[in-house]
């Protein structure tokens, strides 16, 4: 805005400068005497004049003695008339060599300039004011416009920037082909897909991949988020969709990317209140636009969601988003690759082993990993370090996992002791039970909301969890509770979160995974979701009252058995418990290797 005004000013100044130059130029040259008409008449009468050149209202006079003079007459009166009015004899006039020259440039400019300058000024002012008004009201003025952002062409994202996700990249490679060489497919009689749905948990790189696809195909990328369609006023969403597709068709070949499409693409007719009307209209419009593509429209719609289960089936029909690309959470190899990409511009110490970081971060998404390295960089910069060392990286794993350390959260000696026994309980059971995930770290430093924490991680990434894994992990969860009960005779509030997680595990085993012998291989309960809260707000019961009672009993059984296992393990290993507690109280934290040595 300011820039435009400045440009305008500069333009104006240059213009004025040129004008002045012109007029100066025109007046420069030899010294020309300006004379009056009367003087001219006198000279003519004396036969001193050789020729007169008329340029508009100016007269250039050449005398017989070769000197030059200038004079002016009225614009609309021909020179002949003027001389006649001055009673110059006709023969004297005939002897004169009168010619008509071009009107002088500066003359015109100088006459017009006084009109142009104020006009320009006023136009400029009005234009400037309009811009300002628009700035204030721009929201209102662009209401029905899509607001889609075209990605910056300079920052090219390509598949190289996306680590792992091999299958997803292969699928999208095909889309790149379609965009680059559509004719190849059309001559085969193939229909080019219109829509591709990217499915994956948050932070797995869906947005990144969509961007990379456009970067690979070197086509424009229209980016809009599903929630941008949902406005306060009905009909805005639909008109934004129309606008977006219109723009995209003009820019074809290109990619439209609708992020978080579940915001508009939820099942129609399932909403409460009035707001679903708007969403339905928007969704319908998207479907209509996509159906309107013919084979020559080289526009491909990519959409991303982490909730494919709530999408309207109409979206997934052939000819719409019939291609689906699933992006999984990265496995250990991919995690290392992602870490490598994000470590590129960061000065990591040599002792940082990204492989170990990858090992310690099962379940982390690409975004979590990027965040982890960023946290480490921030922490190192804050401590005025030159490089990022191993400690900073490992510490930020826990920061991302559990929240930051709360050194100010000081426990009393008694609380410290209880926490030490509690965490030692978890750690001991994780160590002793063969099916439990091994211990990576035990600490009684408070982090986030936990007073202490024990990190135990699977040896390798697991895609499936078996019955015995659940049983072992419940025992580990109850280890803290069992330790408090065994050593202090009572429990504290510190075990509450452990109990919740153990109960939830037991419930899932019984109601979702069919792992309970008494209840058999079936599921219990159907989850209904409220469309726009996106949460399960109630569970539909599809079983009898009697079964409900059995479910409760079975859940209690699992938790009780886990507690028994934990208590027995602790009683059998009291010496080991004491060892762990002593080190914890002394050092507050035990790392994996030290822990294993301690219990060997
Ligand atoms: P989503 O859209 O799936 O929620 P994003 O694409 O926004 O996730 O990813 C967030 C960030 O996480 C990206 O900007 C990138 O820095 C990082 N990231 C995620 N996945 C990867 C990956 N496979 N390779 C490299 N970086 C990744
Ligand atoms: Mg995203
Ligand atoms: Zn605990």
């Amino acid at each position: 805005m300011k820039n435009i005004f400045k440009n305008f000013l500069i333009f104006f100044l240059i213009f004025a400068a040129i004008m002045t130059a012109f007029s100066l130029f025109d007046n420069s040259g030899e010294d020309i005497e300006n004379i009056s008409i009367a003087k001219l008449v006198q000279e003519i009468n004396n036969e001193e004049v050789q020729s007169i050149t008329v340029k508009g209202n100016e007269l250039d006079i050449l005398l017989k003695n070769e000197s030059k003079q200038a004079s002016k007459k009225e614009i609309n009166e021909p020179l002949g008339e003027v001389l006649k009015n001055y009673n110059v004899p006709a023969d004297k006039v005939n002897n004169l060599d009168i010619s008509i020259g071009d009107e002088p440039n500066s003359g015109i400019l100088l006459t017009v300039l006084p009109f142009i300058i104020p006009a320009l000024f006023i136009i400029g002012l009005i234009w400037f004011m309009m811009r300002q008004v628009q700035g204030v009201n721009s929201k209102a003025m662009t209401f029905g416009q899509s607001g889609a952002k075209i990605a910056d062409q300079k920052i090219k994202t390509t598949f190289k920037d996306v680590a792992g996700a091999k299958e997803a990249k292969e699928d999208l490679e095909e889309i790149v082909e379609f965009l680059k060489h559509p004719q190849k497919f059309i001559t085969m009689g193939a229909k080019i897909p219109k829509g591709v749905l990217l499915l994956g948990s948050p932070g797995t790189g869906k947005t990144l991949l969509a961007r990379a696809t456009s970067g690979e195909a070197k086509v424009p990328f229209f980016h809009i988020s599903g929630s941008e369609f949902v406005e306060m006023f009905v009909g805005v969403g639909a008109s934004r969709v129309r606008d977006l597709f219109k723009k995209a068709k003009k820019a074809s070949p290109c990619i439209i990317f609708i992020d978080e499409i579940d915001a508009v693409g939820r099942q129609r007719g399932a909403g409460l209140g009035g707001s679903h009307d708007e969403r339905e209209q928007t969704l319908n419009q998207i479907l209509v636009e996509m159906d309107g593509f013919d084979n020559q429209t080289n526009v491909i719609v990519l959409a991303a969601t982490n909730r494919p289960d709530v999408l309207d089936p109409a979206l997934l029909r052939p000819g719409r988003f019939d291609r689906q690309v699933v992006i999984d959470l990265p496995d250990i190899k991919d995690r290392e690759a992602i870490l490598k990409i994000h470590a590129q511009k960061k000065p990591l110490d040599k002792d940082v082993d990204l492989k170990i970081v990858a090992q310690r971060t099962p379940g982390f998404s690409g975004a979590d990993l990027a965040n982890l390295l960023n946290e480490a960089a921030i922490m190192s910069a804050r401590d005025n370090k030159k490089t990022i060392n191993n400690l900073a990286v490992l510490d930020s794993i826990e920061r991302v996992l559990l929240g930051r350390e709360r050194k100010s959260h000081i426990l009393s000696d008694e609380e410290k002791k209880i926490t030490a026994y509690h965490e030692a309980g978890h750690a001991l059971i994780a160590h002793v039970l063969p099916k439990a995930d091994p211990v990576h770290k035990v600490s009684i430093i408070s982090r986030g909301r936990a007073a202490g924490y024990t990190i135990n991680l699977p040896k390798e990434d697991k895609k499936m969890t078996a019955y015995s894994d659940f049983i072992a992990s419940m025992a580990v969860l109850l280890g803290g509770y069992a330790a408090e009960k065994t050593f202090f005779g009572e429990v504290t509030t510190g075990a509450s979160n452990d109990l919740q997680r153990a109960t939830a595990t037991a419930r899932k085993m019984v109601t979702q995974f069919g792992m309970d012998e008494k209840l058999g291989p079936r599921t219990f309960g159907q989850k209904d979701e409220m469309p726009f809260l996106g949460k399960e707000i109630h569970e539909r019961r599809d079983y009898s009252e009697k079964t409900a009672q059995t479910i409760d009993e079975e859940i209690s059984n699992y938790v009780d058995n886990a507690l028994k296992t934990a208590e027995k393990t602790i009683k059998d290993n009291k010496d080991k418990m004491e060892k762990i507690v002593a080190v914890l109280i002394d050092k507050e934290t035990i790392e994996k290797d030290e822990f294993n040595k301690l219990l060997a």
Side-chain angles (χ1 to χ4, degrees):
M1 176 67 231
K2 276 232 169 89
N3 254 339
I4 292 168
F5 187 65
K6 221 164 81 186
N7 286 345
F8 177 76
L9 209 76
I10 288 170
F11 169 77
F12 181 80
L13 285 177
I14 290 174
F15 185 73
I18 290 173
M19 291 283 114
T20 335
F22 253 112
S23 47
L24 282 177
F25 177 73
D26 199 64
N27 287 345
S28 68
E30 313 126 86
D31 284 331
I32 296 174
E33 193 190 344
N34 273 310
I35 55 166
S36 65
I37 292 285
K39 178 102 191 288
L40 175 62
V41 169
Q42 201 189 334
E43 286 171 352
I44 292 174
N45 286 335
N46 294 344
E47 296 192 9
E48 288 169 35
V49 177
Q50 186 182 340
S51 69
I52 299 175
T53 309
V54 183
K55 291 177 176 171
N57 64 336
E58 284 181 18
L59 307 172
D60 289 353
I61 302 152
L62 185 64
L63 297 181
K64 288 201 172 131
N65 63 8
E66 296 288 302
S67 67
K68 285 179 178 173
Q69 289 180 327
S71 183
K72 284 206 170 119
K73 65 173 182 69
E74 280 173 69
I75 283 190
N76 292 325
E77 214 173 351
L79 182 60
E81 287 292 314
V82 178
L83 297 180
K84 216 187 247 167
N85 289 346
Y86 278 88
N87 292 324
V88 178
D91 62 315
K92 296 234 163 111
V93 174
N94 288 344
N95 277 344
L96 281 176
D97 177 8
I98 296 177
S99 60
I100 312 290
D102 289 334
E103 293 196 20
N105 265 333
S106 68
I108 268 210
L109 285 175
L110 282 175
T111 36
V112 177
L113 210 59
F115 300 101
I116 287 186
I117 291 178
L120 275 179
F121 191 72
I122 289 168
I123 290 171
L125 206 70
I126 290 174
W127 175 77
F128 176 72
M129 269 162 30
M130 290 234 306
R131 300 268 321 182
Q132 258 192 341
V133 171
Q134 237 178 34
V136 172
N137 287 341
S138 67
K139 265 262 147 50
M141 288 192 179
T142 60
F143 220 60
Q145 284 173 23
S146 63
K149 294 170 253 338
I150 293 201
D152 193 339
Q153 304 287 341
K154 273 175 254 159
I155 312 169
K156 276 264 179 282
T157 312
T158 61
F159 285 153
K160 271 202 208 104
D161 302 309
V162 190
K166 195 158 158 279
E167 282 97 359
K169 273 198 236 173
E170 274 167 15
D171 287 345
L172 291 171
E173 206 84 66
E174 217 176 273
I175 304 298
V176 173
E177 271 299 285
F178 287 136
L179 286 165
K180 271 187 168 164
H181 314 290
Q183 219 50 43
K184 198 163 88 185
F185 297 90
I186 292 170
T187 46
M188 273 303 170
K191 269 219 177 78
I192 288 179
K194 296 171 182 170
V196 180
L197 194 60
L198 303 173
L199 307 172
S201 353
T204 43
K206 300 182 291 294
T207 311
L208 189 69
L209 264 170
R211 219 173 263 285
T213 309
S214 90
E216 287 284 328
K218 300 196 176 61
V219 297
F221 181 73
F222 291 87
H223 179 178
I224 193 162
S225 172
S227 58
E228 283 171 54
F229 291 126
V230 186
E231 273 277 353
M232 198 164 31
F233 300 102
V234 173
V236 170
S239 88
R240 282 191 183 166
V241 173
R242 267 194 299 274
D243 181 66
L244 171 64
F245 279 80
K246 206 169 81 193
K247 277 186 193 154
K249 275 184 204 159
K250 269 195 205 135
S252 132
C254 71
I255 287 178
I256 295 179
F257 179 55
I258 307 178
D259 213 349
E260 323 283 344
I261 196 176
D262 42 301
V264 284
R266 282 172 183 276
Q267 297 198 0
R268 286 172 290 185
L272 297 178
S275 85
H276 70 289
D277 278 341
E278 169 67 350
R279 203 165 24 233
E280 273 184 29
Q281 279 187 20
T282 309
L283 179 55
N284 283 340
Q285 192 63 41
I286 294 179
L287 298 180
V288 166
E289 293 285 351
M290 287 183 77
D291 286 345
F293 284 0
D294 52 26
N295 228 2
Q296 301 299 327
T297 322
N298 203 359
V299 177
I300 290 182
V301 186
L302 297 185
T305 180
N306 47 11
R307 311 284 322 272
D309 48 316
V310 300
L311 288 184
D312 194 294
L315 268 177
L316 306 177
R317 229 193 51 188
R320 286 159 183 176
F321 291 101
D322 48 353
R323 294 206 170 209
Q324 295 174 14
V325 174
V326 180
I327 306 164
D328 290 318
L329 280 174
D331 62 15
I332 184 160
K333 270 214 193 77
D334 289 350
R335 283 200 299 275
E336 196 184 334
I338 294 172
L339 285 165
K340 268 192 189 135
I341 284 191
H342 289 278
Q344 265 166 13
K345 285 192 193 131
K346 300 191 175 70
L348 291 190
D349 261 8
K350 285 219 177 65
D351 66 336
V352 177
D353 189 349
L354 293 179
K355 198 175 218 148
I356 291 180
V357 180
Q359 264 169 20
R360 287 204 180 186
T361 47
F364 273 44
S365 69
D368 290 334
L369 293 169
N371 183 23
L372 184 160
L373 285 183
N374 191 43
E375 285 282 327
I378 289 175
M379 210 151 64
S380 307
R382 215 184 41 200
D383 297 349
N384 296 323
K385 293 205 180 97
K386 292 254 156 20
T387 54
I388 302 170
N389 63 21
N390 200 25
L391 204 71
V393 175
L394 295 185
D395 190 56
S396 45
I397 297 179
E398 280 140 42
R399 274 226 261 187
V400 173
L401 215 56
L402 301 158
R404 55 189 310 172
E405 267 184 19
R406 296 199 332 197
K407 291 231 162 90
S408 64
H409 190 88
I410 297 169
L411 301 175
S412 69
D413 282 349
E414 180 65 13
E415 282 169 339
K416 209 166 161 182
K417 204 169 146 202
I418 297 174
T419 308
Y421 275 98
H422 179 110
E423 296 307 329
H426 288 307
L428 176 80
I429 292 159
H431 182 80
V432 171
L433 294 186
K435 273 286 178 179
D437 300 332
V439 175
H440 273 254
K441 186 169 180 174
V442 201
S443 173
I444 55 169
I445 294 173
S446 159
R447 250 184 206 284
R449 286 169 55 204
Y453 58 96
T454 302
I455 299 178
N456 62 322
L457 298 171
K459 286 190 201 83
E460 52 208 52
D461 286 11
K462 276 194 225 167
K463 293 268 176 334
M464 288 186 283
T465 312
Y467 175 86
S468 49
D469 296 328
F470 281 128
I471 296 291
S473 79
M474 281 192 288
V476 174
L477 282 170
L478 281 157
Y481 182 96
E484 288 185 28
K485 218 171 143 197
T486 312
F487 289 92
F488 300 94
E490 62 173 6
V491 290
T492 65
T493 51
S496 134
N497 180 260
D498 297 335
L499 301 183
Q500 262 172 30
R501 283 165 61 196
T503 311
T505 306
R507 175 171 291 278
K508 274 194 192 148
M509 288 174 71
V510 176
T511 62
Q512 278 179 33
F513 305 135
M515 286 178 172
D516 186 61
E517 281 201 3
K518 229 185 215 168
L519 288 159
R522 61 158 288 194
T523 61
F524 299 91
Q526 275 182 354
K527 295 205 171 88
D528 279 347
E529 298 203 30
M530 280 307 163
F532 52 87
L533 293 179
K535 280 194 178 154
E536 307 154 9
I537 54 176
H538 79 169
E539 197 185 43
R540 193 140 38 97
R541 251 199 193 182
D542 58 355
Y543 46 86
S544 69
E545 203 58 49
K546 195 165 141 259
T547 313
Q549 207 175 352
T550 318
I551 292 174
D552 277 347
E553 281 165 17
E554 287 304 287
I555 291 172
S556 299
N557 268 344
Y558 282 117
V559 179
D560 281 347
N561 284 334
L563 180 60
K564 275 189 198 122
T565 313
E567 280 179 331
K568 183 168 185 307
T569 313
I570 287 171
K571 279 198 184 106
D572 292 350
N573 295 284
K574 269 197 169 153
D575 52 328
K576 284 182 179 161
M577 278 293 284
E578 296 294 358
K579 267 192 203 164
I580 303 171
V581 168
V583 179
L584 272 180
I585 287 178
D586 183 32
K587 289 192 187 167
E588 296 197 327
T589 300
I590 316 177
E591 294 280 351
K592 182 182 178 181
D593 293 339
E594 200 190 344
F595 182 81
N596 286 340
K597 233 186 267 161
L598 191 68
L599 296 197

